[in-house]
Amino acid sequence: MNLLRNFDLILTLTLKEIKVKYRSSALGYLWSLLYPLLLALLFFFALRVVLKIQVEDFVVFLLSGLFSWQWFLNSLSASTVSIISNASLVKKVKFPYFMLPMSNVLNDCFHFIASLPVLFAFAIFHSKPPSIVWLAGTLFIVLQLITTLGISLILSSLNPFFRDLERLTQIGLNMVFYATPIIYPFEMIPENFRPIFYLNPMFPVVESWHRLILKSDVELWLIGLSVIHSAFWLVIGSYIFSRFSKRFAEVL
Amino acid sequence: MNDVVIRFSNVEKSFPLYRRPGIKTMLLNPRYFWTLKERFVAIKDISFEVYRGETFGIVGKNGAGKSTILGLIAGVLVPDRGRVEVRGKVVPLLELGAGFHHELNAVENIMLNGVLLGASRRKMKALTGEILEFAGLKEFAHQPIRTFSTGMLARLGFSIAVHIKPEILLVDEILAVGDSEFQKKCLEKISELQKSNVTILLVSHDAKQIERFCKRAMLIEDKHIKLLGEAKEVIKAYAG
């Protein structure tokens, strides 16, 4: 009974996010493609044409990281303010509030999945034959979903108490972007710096996508690292959220 | 004989006090960090019971603590001391536009709002027609609600809340919305709910409404219950 109600709630909230995103702009779905594509173009020009970085199939390389990053970035930006922007509701109605940030993460997950055909099309166009191994991508999606959800729970539950967090998140996300091998390959990082990258929750997922699309290869240690990240962030996130959510109505 | 559905026992509730000195002052002078812990008491020693099917009024000036009591009943606030017991499904009548999204149309918003208030998707699908009918918004079913007037939004919100069969309905000063025709309809609907044994908590600073609907009421003054009893007596004390 309770489970059914929770399912109804998360379904309704996520559908709302998806509908709203499509409806409020003329291009709708195209925006979730256009933005990463334009970014890829920009980085291609700056890094390949100007700085002459040597990476095979650089466009496919960029896209296979950028789509996944966009999901992470958009869900965290949206979920950080999810409690505050629903203040009038949270102050009056009791429901499982974690569904507010969760619906943001699921919304962008949906858009990510919707953009995968484009990524695959680019890969095939650059003569990467479609492979059965690509199905491993479903696992990466699940792992990224859990990791992102965990972090979104932390940010959304702390933001009503420390509103500076919104700004910090924006700056932090910008920094993490450059600290993730998205616009440069992991192999170019000097050996002694690499362990620092393992602390980045997005590193194993993005790197897994690179290997999957470019080499049809699945690295077990990357998946293992990603499992550790997703478990870690989900546990911490649930703990912080359950502690702070009791006081939402007091501070909003 | 009477079924208690809401029971407050010696409830106290405080809120954080925000007079933040700013990060610079705090870092230079760490003892300011203690001010973050300061709280002010909103209500104190509140004990009362509400019985099934009755309409109970809460009156008091702004800031007396009436909304805090509703928050505790809805379960969005946790008491610092004492106990709050509530039996049954609580549905608050939301303020204008809360739980709606302005880009979605009326039908989609009925689903969203109803599910947030605790109804299932299936139930909301079945109720949609009835809700639109009551709100008088049938022709506008597929219009995005950002095009709605304030009155239309209020009608929609009220219609959803009363149609999802609440066991305890929380009404916080919202009855004065809509045109006079719809107001009449609202008041009739409230009478109908009263007859069907729904418990209603009516918070207001309008003595007339309390008098009209409630048998019992309480007056909150300066964090405490000043008077609890017959609605007429309470209103007399409040007015005088």
Side-chain angles (χ1 to χ4, degrees):
Chain A
M1 187 61 203
N2 220 344
L3 207 69
L4 188 73
R5 152 148 174 73
N6 284 350
F7 178 77
D8 270 12
L9 242 177
I10 193 65
L11 179 68
T12 309
L13 286 171
T14 309
L15 283 177
K16 172 202 130 194
E17 295 293 333
I18 292 173
K19 276 183 198 160
V20 168
K21 192 159 183 168
Y22 279 147
R23 202 158 299 176
S24 44
S25 59
L27 286 179
Y29 163 68
L30 285 180
W31 279 119
S32 46
L33 294 178
L34 211 56
Y35 190 62
L37 287 174
L38 285 174
L39 270 183
L41 188 72
L42 190 71
F43 285 123
F44 185 84
F45 180 78
L47 299 171
R48 183 53 162 271
V49 178
V50 180
L51 291 175
K52 312 230 164 23
I53 189 175
Q54 287 308 311
V55 181
E56 268 181 66
D57 302 307
F58 195 45
V59 173
V60 182
F61 174 86
L62 283 172
L63 283 179
S64 56
L66 278 172
F67 278 120
S68 158
W69 175 260
Q70 281 303 311
W71 168 13
F72 185 71
L73 174 77
N74 290 339
S75 12
L76 290 190
S77 312
S79 56
T80 303
V81 294
S82 62
I83 302 295
I84 289 182
S85 52
N86 285 292
S88 55
L89 194 63
V90 173
K91 275 197 288 192
K92 289 274 164 91
V93 192
K94 180 154 181 169
F95 65 98
Y97 301 130
F98 72 86
M99 291 189 176
L100 292 171
M102 191 173 169
S103 66
N104 292 129
V105 178
L106 286 172
N107 171 31
D108 288 303
C109 175
F110 172 81
H111 287 276
F112 172 72
I113 293 171
S115 68
L116 279 179
V118 176
L119 176 61
F120 292 147
F122 266 91
I124 293 163
F125 184 73
H126 281 80
S127 53
K128 306 281 166 209
S131 145
I132 190 84
V133 187
W134 282 7
L135 287 176
T138 18
L139 177 64
F140 306 162
I141 295 175
V142 173
L143 289 171
Q144 181 172 349
L145 181 66
I146 299 172
T147 309
T148 314
L149 181 63
I151 300 172
S152 79
L153 288 176
I154 301 175
L155 295 174
S156 60
S157 61
L158 294 182
N159 196 36
F161 299 88
F162 317 102
R163 308 237 172 163
D164 303 3
L165 198 63
E166 235 167 283
R167 309 287 162 86
L168 279 174
T169 307
Q170 290 311 321
I171 299 168
L173 282 168
N174 252 318
M175 290 169 73
V176 178
F177 173 74
Y178 290 102
T180 312
I182 296 171
I183 55 170
Y184 52 84
F186 181 59
E187 290 77 16
M188 284 179 80
I189 304 163
E191 288 273 359
N192 43 347
F193 283 111
R194 289 189 188 175
I196 305 174
F197 282 75
Y198 302 158
L199 300 176
N200 174 352
M202 276 306 279
F203 160 70
V205 181
V206 167
E207 193 52 23
S208 294
W209 280 110
H210 282 157
R211 310 229 173 166
L212 189 76
I213 303 294
L214 293 162
K215 301 187 184 118
S216 291
D217 181 25
V218 176
E219 291 273 348
L220 283 180
W221 70 273
L222 285 173
I223 293 180
L225 187 60
S226 192
V227 169
I228 294 172
H229 266 297
S230 57
F232 173 79
W233 293 105
L234 187 65
V235 168
I236 301 282
S238 316
Y239 174 74
I240 291 183
F241 197 92
S242 68
R243 277 206 58 168
F244 282 86
S245 61
K246 289 187 197 110
R247 304 214 168 270
F248 283 163
E250 279 181 19
V251 295
L252 286 172
Chain B
M1 143 195 126
N2 275 320
D3 234 354
V4 176
V5 286
I6 298 170
R7 177 183 284 131
F8 274 53
S9 332
N10 297 310
V11 172
E12 179 176 329
K13 177 68 194 168
S14 64
F15 287 87
L17 196 60
Y18 281 108
R19 19 161 224 176
R20 295 223 158 152
I23 283 208
K24 198 175 91 191
T25 326
M26 279 205 278
L27 289 177
L28 292 174
N29 205 339
R31 82 191 152 83
Y32 274 112
F33 273 107
W34 291 109
T35 62
L36 292 182
K37 291 237 164 206
E38 278 180 58
R39 295 172 78 85
F40 74 93
V41 176
I43 54 166
K44 206 174 171 158
D45 299 322
I46 300 284
S47 301
F48 68 95
E49 288 173 348
V50 178
Y51 306 110
R52 184 179 308 282
E54 82 171 322
T55 302
F56 187 82
I58 304 176
V59 284
K61 293 195 187 106
N62 282 334
K66 296 167 297 188
S67 297
T68 305
I69 293 176
L70 286 196
L72 287 160
I73 296 171
V76 297
L77 294 172
V78 187
D80 299 354
R81 286 207 195 100
R83 269 165 70 95
V84 174
E85 293 158 89
V86 176
R87 285 194 299 166
K89 190 172 88 181
V90 180
V91 172
L93 195 52
L94 294 172
E95 61 198 74
L96 210 58
F100 283 144
H101 196 288
H102 60 274
E103 286 293 339
L104 300 178
N105 66 34
V107 173
E108 291 163 331
N109 269 301
I110 289 172
M111 176 60 79
L112 175 64
N113 202 280
V115 172
L116 281 168
L117 290 174
S120 68
R121 285 180 70 86
R122 203 168 28 162
K123 185 170 168 187
M124 290 319 293
K125 260 189 202 126
L127 283 174
T128 302
E130 215 177 308
I131 290 171
L132 284 170
E133 176 83 59
F134 181 83
L137 293 170
K138 272 228 146 119
E139 318 83 286
F140 304 100
H142 297 285
Q143 295 290 319
I145 63 159
R146 69 184 143 80
T147 63
F148 282 21
S149 69
T150 322
M152 288 159 87
L153 282 177
R155 268 143 57 189
L156 189 60
F158 181 86
S159 184
I160 295 169
V162 295
H163 277 89
I164 57 176
K165 305 262 174 331
E167 289 170 276
I168 301 169
L169 182 68
L170 308 180
V171 184
D172 195 352
E173 318 256 16
I174 323 188
L175 281 178
V177 286
D179 50 29
S180 61
E181 193 191 335
F182 186 72
Q183 268 191 38
K184 210 177 122 212
K185 231 166 141 186
C186 283
L187 300 180
E188 275 163 17
K189 189 76 189 175
I190 298 246
S191 309
E192 193 188 310
L193 290 174
Q194 286 179 314
K195 272 175 211 138
S196 57
N197 228 15
V198 176
T199 311
I200 300 173
L201 262 88
L202 189 59
V203 167
S204 186
H205 45 226
D206 177 9
K208 268 197 210 117
Q209 274 184 6
I210 302 280
E211 198 171 6
R212 167 159 183 188
F213 290 105
C214 310
K215 272 216 185 71
R216 291 198 314 134
M218 68 179 175
L219 170 61
I220 306 288
E221 211 174 274
D222 192 25
K223 300 163 193 161
H224 294 83
I225 298 179
K226 178 124 187 265
L227 185 65
L228 192 161
E230 292 273 313
K232 274 182 195 144
E233 313 269 311
V234 172
I235 283 159
K236 220 180 277 169
Y238 176 56

